[in-house]
Amino acid sequence: VAFGWWAHDLGGFMDGKEDPELYTRWLQFGAFSPIFRIHSIKTPWSDRRPWMWDDLNLQKNVRDVFYMRHRLVPYLYSMSWRNFRLNIPLVRPMYHDHPSDPVSYCTHNQYFFGSELLVAPFLKPKTASTDLSRTVVWFPSSRIIRNDLDTLLAKT
């Protein structure tokens, strides 16, 4: 908690399972992490660079993630300044902003990313019948809900 600037090995580093959906979701989650970097090693059995995948759909999705993260740069700059001036970390658990709401303590898989974004990654694979995944998200009643990242990014 309040460990605001961290990174993880997006895409994996050694061994593991080669799964295009898992890789894509990992990078999507990473786009809403303080430090966005893919970790890889240039070997035939564990090269995780996105352009090394043969799956064209994966390459398109990963490209979209990179573009979205690039569009977040002004927002991230503002949130970095906010962190410096006000000591408010970029990533915060829900109960930081809603300590009197008991539900906020049970939302382990979602968090605030800066002052304007709520992140709730998809953690389960898509189903064969719908080709979609789902996740449960708690929306605090005191927040304005916008489901349009383009609108937010146009204001930054």
Side-chain angles (χ1 to χ4, degrees):
V1 176
F3 184 55
W5 294 98
W6 50 271
H8 46 98
D9 295 338
L10 292 173
F13 182 65
M14 294 291 295
D15 302 324
K17 181 179 176 184
E18 302 299 328
D19 181 321
E21 182 186 2
L22 176 62
Y23 183 81
T24 302
R25 291 191 189 282
W26 201 346
L27 294 186
Q28 289 168 336
F29 165 62
F32 295 99
S33 300
I35 300 170
F36 181 66
R37 66 181 177 93
I38 292 176
H39 203 154
S40 184
I41 186 168
K42 190 177 177 182
T43 63
W45 57 89
S46 61
D47 193 342
R48 301 298 199 285
R49 295 175 295 174
W51 52 88
M52 299 304 290
W53 291 78
D54 293 331
D55 186 329
L56 295 178
N57 190 46
L58 175 138
Q59 289 180 9
K60 181 214 172 291
N61 290 336
V62 168
R63 187 177 311 112
D64 290 346
V65 169
F66 275 83
Y67 287 146
M68 181 192 59
R69 175 62 181 213
H70 182 74
R71 292 178 62 206
L72 284 171
V73 168
Y75 178 75
L76 292 168
Y77 181 86
S78 297
M79 293 301 108
S80 297
W81 182 251
R82 179 175 176 247
N83 177 239
F84 171 73
R85 298 298 283 174
L86 303 175
N87 200 27
I88 300 173
L90 176 64
V91 174
R92 296 177 330 283
M94 303 302 290
Y95 59 82
H96 271 204
D97 287 12
H98 303 278
S100 62
D101 193 327
V103 177
S104 69
Y105 293 88
C106 302
T107 55
H108 305 294
N109 296 320
Q110 68 183 65
Y111 55 92
F112 288 116
F113 189 66
S115 62
E116 303 300 315
L117 297 175
L118 185 150
V119 177
F122 288 94
L123 302 175
K124 295 181 180 161
K126 62 186 177 183
T127 63
S129 60
T130 65
D131 204 31
L132 299 170
S133 181
R134 67 181 290 251
T135 193
V136 175
V137 181
W138 174 64
F139 293 100
S141 60
S142 64
R143 302 289 283 205
I144 296 172
I145 307 302
R146 285 192 307 246
N147 191 20
D148 185 4
L149 187 59
D150 289 332
T151 300
L152 173 67
L153 293 174
K155 293 180 179 180
T156 57

